[in-house]
Amino acid sequence: MTKGFVLTMDAVIATFLGVIITAVIISLLAAGSVNYFDKQQLSSIGYDLLAVLDLSGKLDSYVGGSGVESDLGTQLQLLPENYCGNITVEIYKYQNEEFELVEDYTNTSSGCVQSGDITRVKRIFVSVTQSRYGIANIKLWLK
Amino acid sequence: MKGVFFTLITFIIFIGIVAYLFTITSSNIERGQLATERISAERVYYTWMSVRDHLEELANVSVGRSDSTIEINDTLPSEIDIKNFLWAYGKFVEDYYDDETIDIRFEDASGNPIDLNQTDPQIVIKPMNINYSWPTWGKKEVDIKVDPSNFSHIENLDLYIKLKNVEFRCNVSEPGSCDDWNPDNHVPNCDGVEYCLTLNLTLEDMNDVVFNFPQKYFDIDNSPSRKSTANIDVKNDTTPSFFIKIHAGPLPQVLLTELKDVKVDTYTKLKLDTVEFYINWAVILNVTTPFGKRVGSL
């Protein structure tokens, strides 16, 4: 009877240890892994937002414009509620075979501080009427 | 015996735990790969489209489609230095879009890297290969061409030309004054004519005087060669001599609009016999990331 008890206890302790180790491994995996589909969603939304700004002529209107940073803040409000973003627009002129930065604007979603996994997307645009070339960068992360 | 039994049970439980961990890990890796591939595919797509979306603006033209009709709004000659813009834009794409995770380059039909301003100045409607082209990016004339074997895909062609700096010297109210075709291969209708162009041609001068050509059908066969040319008499109070000539035929030339010192906006509507077509520029864009690639005509 004693032998049986000892052996049973041995098996129970072993199983208990096994479960503990498994739980630790799973939690480490979960902590270390990124929610990949969140990243994909962030990326999609970022690209869509920049495409809308470009094709609607908004990025073009920022060339030589005023109140740009405030307007960028307004555009960031189009993001879903649980998303934060930082958008930067850089405008260049081509001169002497080089691109010279002539304007740059940036804004971040209100109440947001950059943290966690950040997804970055960018889009290039051109203003033919004003001979300017621009690039809009957006960083997105979850609140 | 009991010991063996319990050891066996413990062993089986541990094997189960290891198998479960392996399944979770594999599933995690697969999800990660799928998401990475999707992100990469999206990146390639949006990069490719953003370059294409600006090409029309750079070429000072706008191209659209509605069902089986292609609509092209053009400005002749060009009001901007297109070649210079293309060069700078191509360089900007390569310098500012290109990075260690994405490679972007423009290529010719053979896959050789080229500068964007080395692109042939033309728009091609595929698969019938109807070309809307300019001789150079200065756009002092525009030519619509198609191989005779594909001409039947063109049902009709509407061309509206707004003359911006000249007025009619010819009398729009007098038959034969503005519509003076020489040579003249217009026909009363397309019955029995193998290569018959149905053309609706309208000009409006800088004083908003409109003239619509009464001739609607032209034989543009090339065997024997049939061509119709209208040299529209226009003027301006300044010294330079002006002309605008419209040539219909012979194939493969469908319609050529030739200008000298005349500035125009044109609106071309080309109706095809099918909706199965796509519109390309004569330049290939290659966008490559570690996980995806897109190579195709813009």
Side-chain angles (χ1 to χ4, degrees):
Chain A
M1 190 174 141
T2 311
K3 260 193 192 171
F5 180 74
V6 168
L7 286 169
T8 305
M9 281 305 295
D10 186 38
V12 166
I13 290 166
T15 307
F16 182 69
L17 281 173
V19 168
I20 295 289
I21 291 167
T22 307
V24 167
I25 290 171
I26 290 174
S27 69
L28 281 174
L29 278 173
S33 75
V34 175
N35 187 330
Y36 295 107
F37 293 104
D38 275 344
K39 278 183 83 76
Q40 195 220 320
Q41 188 72 353
L42 285 165
S43 169
S44 294
I45 285 178
Y47 277 121
D48 282 347
L49 179 59
L50 291 181
V52 166
L53 292 179
D54 186 11
L55 297 173
S56 66
K58 195 52 110 165
L59 292 178
D60 201 57
S61 74
Y62 290 157
V63 176
S66 60
V68 175
E69 286 180 340
S70 167
D71 196 71
L72 286 175
T74 307
Q75 301 306 323
L76 285 170
Q77 288 172 20
L78 296 172
L79 293 171
E81 227 176 85
N82 59 325
Y83 283 29
C84 283
N86 165 269
I87 185 166
T88 303
V89 176
E90 295 172 351
I91 294 164
Y92 296 79
K93 72 174 180 184
Y94 187 59
Q95 193 164 274
N96 302 324
E97 297 183 7
E98 268 186 4
F99 290 101
E100 184 190 325
L101 179 67
V102 290
E103 299 173 67
D104 71 290
Y105 308 100
T106 189
N107 206 331
T108 304
S109 302
S110 57
C112 286
V113 175
Q114 285 188 36
S115 62
D117 274 310
I118 292 174
T119 296
R120 294 174 172 79
V121 297
K122 58 184 173 182
R123 186 172 175 112
I124 224 157
F125 65 96
V126 60
S127 171
V128 168
T129 49
Q130 303 196 64
S131 300
R132 295 287 184 266
Y133 305 85
I135 186 156
N137 288 282
I138 188 165
K139 296 181 202 172
L140 293 160
W141 62 96
L142 295 174
K143 270 186 185 163
Chain B
M1 198 56 202
K2 273 185 189 172
V4 171
F5 176 71
F6 284 125
T7 304
L8 209 59
I9 296 293
T10 310
F11 183 71
I12 289 169
I13 290 169
F14 268 110
I15 293 295
I17 289 167
V18 167
Y20 178 64
L21 283 173
F22 182 74
T23 308
I24 289 180
T25 309
S26 297
S27 169
N28 211 31
I29 290 171
E30 212 175 287
R31 276 203 306 275
Q33 269 177 345
L34 183 61
T36 303
E37 282 167 12
R38 284 186 182 174
I39 290 171
S40 184
E42 220 167 41
R43 190 173 184 205
V44 168
Y45 171 78
Y46 275 100
T47 302
W48 207 91
M49 288 304 292
S50 74
V51 174
R52 189 198 164 118
D53 286 341
H54 289 290
L55 208 50
E56 288 179 16
E57 191 184 347
L58 291 165
N60 204 200
V61 70
S62 113
V63 184
R65 61 178 291 173
S66 172
D67 292 329
S68 59
T69 302
I70 298 134
E71 298 174 13
I72 303 175
N73 282 285
D74 202 354
T75 299
L76 307 167
S78 172
E79 293 176 341
I80 57 174
D81 185 349
I82 294 176
K83 200 156 181 171
N84 191 44
F85 266 108
L86 287 172
W87 156 250
Y89 182 69
K91 196 158 174 356
F92 192 70
V93 167
E94 287 170 6
D95 288 354
Y96 290 86
Y97 231 155
D98 207 278
D99 60 35
E100 60 276 1
T101 61
I102 192 165
D103 181 49
I104 302 169
R105 65 181 203 184
F106 299 97
E107 295 176 350
D108 62 16
S110 309
N112 302 310
I114 58 169
D115 294 322
L116 187 54
N117 66 342
Q118 293 174 301
T119 308
D120 287 336
Q122 63 176 344
I123 298 164
V124 185
I125 298 152
K126 298 269 195 181
M128 51 288 285
N129 289 326
I130 299 169
N131 278 16
Y132 179 100
S133 64
W134 311 274
T136 67
W137 285 114
K139 302 203 304 181
K140 290 187 177 170
E141 61 184 55
V142 63
D143 203 354
I144 300 174
K145 282 183 169 165
V146 69
D147 188 87
S149 60
N150 285 325
F151 174 72
S152 58
H153 289 294
I154 298 176
E155 287 192 352
N156 59 57
L157 174 58
D158 289 358
L159 176 59
Y160 165 81
I161 301 175
K162 170 68 182 175
L163 306 166
K164 298 195 287 193
N165 64 330
V166 292
E167 58 185 341
F168 292 119
R169 195 200 319 261
C170 58
N171 186 344
V172 300
S173 310
E174 184 184 321
S177 176
C178 292
D179 55 317
D180 180 16
W181 294 91
N182 183 17
D184 184 357
N185 281 284
H186 88 271
V187 292
N189 53 57
C190 286
D191 294 345
V193 181
E194 187 178 3
Y195 299 105
C196 183
L197 172 66
T198 304
L199 174 65
N200 183 15
L201 178 60
T202 306
L203 271 68
E204 181 177 342
D205 75 5
M206 65 186 215
N207 299 322
D208 302 331
V209 175
V210 177
F211 180 68
N212 180 249
F213 280 73
Q215 297 84 10
K216 303 292 179 195
Y217 308 102
F218 296 84
D219 185 348
I220 60 170
D221 200 346
N222 62 3
S223 180
S225 178
R226 303 231 201 285
K227 177 178 180 170
S228 304
T229 299
N231 186 347
I232 300 114
D233 196 4
V234 292
K235 69 179 170 94
N236 184 297
D237 290 336
T238 60
T239 313
S241 62
F242 303 90
F243 72 68
I244 170 166
K245 292 183 187 173
I246 309 290
H247 307 271
L251 287 170
Q253 181 174 289
V254 175
L255 200 74
L256 169 67
T257 304
E258 205 183 336
L259 309 168
K260 185 176 181 299
D261 294 322
V262 174
K263 296 178 184 177
V264 302
D265 286 333
T266 65
Y267 174 55
T268 305
K269 265 176 69 169
L270 191 60
K271 189 169 188 319
L272 303 183
D273 64 349
T274 175
V275 295
E276 303 292 327
F277 65 90
Y278 50 98
I279 303 166
N280 278 348
W281 289 87
V283 64
I284 294 169
L285 178 64
N286 180 328
V287 178
T288 306
T289 68
F291 301 99
K293 183 175 182 170
R294 179 170 179 169
V295 182
S297 297
L298 283 171

